[in-house]
């Protein structure tokens, strides 16, 4: 009986596997930020309805800075160190660099260092943290998006993404070649006793000298400019394949079991709402604008008592310095002669 029961279970498992494939499932995407100041992690999930580009990166960065700033009176440090994947679409592009310049121009930070690892060497601590998500999902079922959010600590849903690219475009100068350097820094360049301007510097790696690239912004951001928020990016619900989602939900019923139909009801409500807001452009625009917040105008400025912080020149923490030293260390090979073994004298 034991063998027969196990065989029936295997048949059911094979049937479910053939009925439901990865194409039937709704794909999700998690973006994470590690806050090394207090070793905090901030994670954001979407269903692929927003492009994974500089808008999403800047939106996540702004949300994290706003969350940190609420922790205390002087929660934001005068110098910000950023390290990101060497990906031009999401991170290493003129919009993210220009946003760093905006943060310094508004005196939210006195200085920002923006670094990237070498191509092929991006397996860093943020990648390691995703293994914990995989481990949680191996040990627990997440049948709905709220289930997944409850399982992963610090995870929140992205409901809207401001169109930072459209907001920054009128302020931008032309730039080229900016996807090559591995390190950038943005800081106030003192031009006289009471005035300063913001300049950007770049270099290939830590062995090279900094080179000035001037300013990416043709206009200095003012309170009026940053207070005028932009529209949100229009959500793309077609990527969810709403036309076939009803049949897919019927197939998922097998996985949900019979003891509780709350997961099935959640997906049915999700499908109904997605179809409803997709009926007209106006409804989709209202749906896209909900839930997002324009935190840029609310970020605190550097405190006057902090004064002008001297530029940071290659000062890294011990962990980052060790990673950099290991990455750039020259290999050493040493060959030594073998000691001859003493042989006993013959008698």
């Amino acid at each position: 009986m034991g063998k027969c029961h196990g065989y029936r279970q295997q048949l059911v498992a094979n049937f479910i596997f053939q009925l439901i494939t990865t194409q039937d499932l709704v794909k999700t995407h998690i973006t994470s930020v590690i806050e090394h100041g207090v070793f905090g992690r901030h994670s954001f999930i979407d269903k692929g309805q927003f492009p994974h580009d500089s808008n999403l990166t800047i939106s996540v960065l702004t949300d994290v800075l706003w969350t940190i700033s609420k922790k205390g009176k002087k929660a934001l440090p005068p110098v910000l160190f950023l390290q990101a994947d060497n990906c031009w679409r999401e991170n290493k592009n003129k919009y993210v660099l220009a946003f760093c310049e905006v943060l310094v121009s508004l005196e939210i930070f006195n200085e920002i260092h923006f670094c990237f690892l070498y191509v092929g060497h991006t397996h860093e601590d943020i990648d390691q943290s995703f293994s914990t998500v995989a481990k949680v999902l191996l040990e627990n079922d997440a049948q709905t998006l709220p289930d997944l959010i409850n399982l992963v600590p610090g995870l929140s849903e992205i409901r809207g993404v401001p169109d930072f690219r459209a907001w920054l475009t009128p302020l931008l100068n032309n730039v080229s070649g900016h996807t090559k350097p591995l390190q950038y820094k943005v800081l106030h360049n003192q031009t006289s006793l009471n005035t300063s301007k913001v300049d950007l510097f770049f270099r290939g790696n830590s062995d090279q000298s900094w080179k000035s690239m001037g300013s990416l912004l043709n206009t200095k951001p003012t309170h009026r400019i940053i207070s005028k928020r932009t529209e949100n990016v229009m959500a793309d619900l077609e990527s969810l394949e709403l036309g076939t989602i009803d049949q897919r939900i019927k197939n998922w019923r097998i996985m949900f079991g019979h003891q509780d139909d709350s997961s099935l009801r959640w997906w049915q409500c999700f499908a109904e709402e997605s179809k409803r807001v997709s009926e007209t452009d106006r409804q989709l625009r209202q749906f896209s604008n909900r839930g997002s917040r324009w935190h840029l105008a609310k970020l605190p400025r550097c405190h006057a008592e902090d004064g002008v912080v001297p530029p940071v020149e290659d000062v890294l923490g011990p962990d980052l310095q060790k990673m950099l030293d290991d990455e750039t260390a020259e290999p050493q090979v040493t060959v030594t002669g073998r000691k001859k073994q003493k042989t006993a004298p013959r008698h």
Side-chain angles (χ1 to χ4, degrees):
M1 287 295 293
K3 290 184 179 179
C4 182
H5 178 67
Y7 179 66
R8 286 200 299 270
Q9 285 183 327
Q10 185 64 38
L11 283 177
V12 173
N14 288 339
F15 174 73
I16 295 176
F17 177 77
Q18 293 175 12
L19 184 62
I20 300 174
T21 66
T22 54
Q23 284 73 27
D24 295 318
L25 304 178
V26 174
K27 296 178 176 59
T28 56
H29 177 272
I30 295 179
T31 303
S32 286
V33 177
I34 292 181
E35 177 196 342
H36 282 286
V38 293
F39 298 99
R41 175 176 170 176
H42 311 261
S43 298
F44 306 85
I45 189 169
D46 67 89
K47 299 180 288 292
Q49 72 272 39
F50 303 111
H52 298 154
D53 58 11
S54 52
N55 278 325
L56 182 62
T57 298
I58 297 174
S59 178
V60 166
L61 176 59
T62 308
D63 282 354
V64 171
L65 292 177
W66 171 243
T67 301
I68 297 173
S69 70
K70 294 188 295 182
K71 293 181 179 180
K73 184 179 178 182
K74 297 175 62 175
L76 292 179
V79 180
L80 174 66
F81 288 90
L82 292 174
Q83 182 167 303
D85 285 343
N86 206 337
C87 174
W88 63 266
R89 184 183 68 254
E90 298 177 7
N91 304 319
K92 191 191 284 188
N93 53 69
K94 61 183 180 181
Y95 298 104
V96 178
L97 288 173
F99 186 73
C100 290
E101 184 175 346
V102 168
L103 293 177
V104 176
S105 296
L106 295 174
E107 298 182 349
I108 295 170
F109 295 99
N110 288 329
E111 185 174 344
I112 294 179
H113 285 241
F114 196 13
C115 302
F116 306 88
L117 293 180
Y118 291 94
V119 175
H121 295 268
T122 56
H123 298 288
E124 47 191 334
D125 48 4
I126 191 67
D127 298 317
Q128 174 72 23
S129 68
F130 283 111
S131 64
T132 61
V133 178
K135 183 178 180 180
V136 168
L137 294 179
L138 284 175
E139 299 173 352
N140 302 273
D141 289 332
Q143 297 179 350
T144 65
L145 191 61
D147 289 345
L148 181 57
I149 292 175
N150 291 332
L151 285 173
V152 180
L155 182 62
S156 58
E157 183 182 1
I158 298 175
R159 296 183 177 273
V161 176
D163 194 349
F164 284 98
R165 292 162 62 104
W167 182 78
L168 284 167
T169 295
L171 308 177
L172 283 176
N173 289 318
N174 295 324
V175 62
S176 61
H178 52 285
T179 61
K180 301 298 183 182
L182 294 175
Q183 298 181 27
Y184 287 92
K185 67 177 178 180
V186 189
L187 71 159
H188 283 282
N189 189 4
Q190 200 77 23
T191 56
S192 64
L193 184 61
N194 298 318
T195 61
S196 66
K197 66 174 183 176
V198 177
D199 283 332
L200 277 77
F201 298 83
F202 70 92
R203 63 183 180 183
N205 55 55
S206 58
D207 295 331
Q208 299 174 356
S209 300
W210 289 106
K211 297 180 180 179
S212 174
M213 58 182 287
S215 173
L216 274 175
L217 302 179
N218 56 44
T219 303
K220 183 177 180 179
T222 62
H223 179 74
R224 183 182 61 83
I225 292 176
I226 66 171
S227 297
K228 186 179 179 182
R229 65 162 298 163
T230 181
E231 287 275 9
N232 277 12
V233 176
M234 188 78 86
D236 178 18
L237 298 184
E238 293 183 2
S239 61
L240 303 178
E241 299 180 3
L242 299 178
T244 62
I245 197 169
D246 290 331
Q247 181 58 46
R248 291 150 69 194
I249 291 175
K250 292 178 182 179
N251 295 342
W252 298 340
R253 183 192 294 267
I254 300 175
M255 294 191 299
F256 296 155
H258 303 286
Q259 69 278 9
D260 184 11
D261 62 351
S262 60
S263 297
L264 180 62
R265 290 199 306 270
W266 187 91
W267 280 109
Q268 289 172 338
C269 292
F270 167 79
E272 291 173 2
E273 182 188 22
S274 298
K275 291 178 181 179
R276 178 182 58 80
V277 301
S278 300
E279 291 177 353
T280 65
D281 289 343
R282 180 180 179 182
Q283 289 174 311
L284 186 59
R285 168 56 64 191
Q286 292 175 344
F287 173 80
S288 302
N289 282 336
R290 71 173 189 174
S292 69
R293 294 147 295 186
W294 187 251
H295 291 316
L296 179 58
K298 297 182 290 184
L299 289 176
R301 307 304 188 254
C302 290
H303 292 270
E305 59 267 25
D306 291 338
V308 178
V309 177
V312 177
E313 186 63 34
D314 307 332
V315 178
L316 300 177
D319 294 339
L320 290 177
Q321 188 62 56
K322 184 179 184 304
M323 291 175 59
L324 184 60
D325 292 341
D326 292 342
E327 191 74 42
T328 58
E330 294 185 8
Q332 301 290 334
V333 179
T334 304
V335 178
T336 58
R338 296 178 57 187
K339 293 183 179 180
K340 295 182 179 180
Q341 295 182 350
K342 294 182 180 180
T343 56
R346 296 183 180 180
H347 298 287

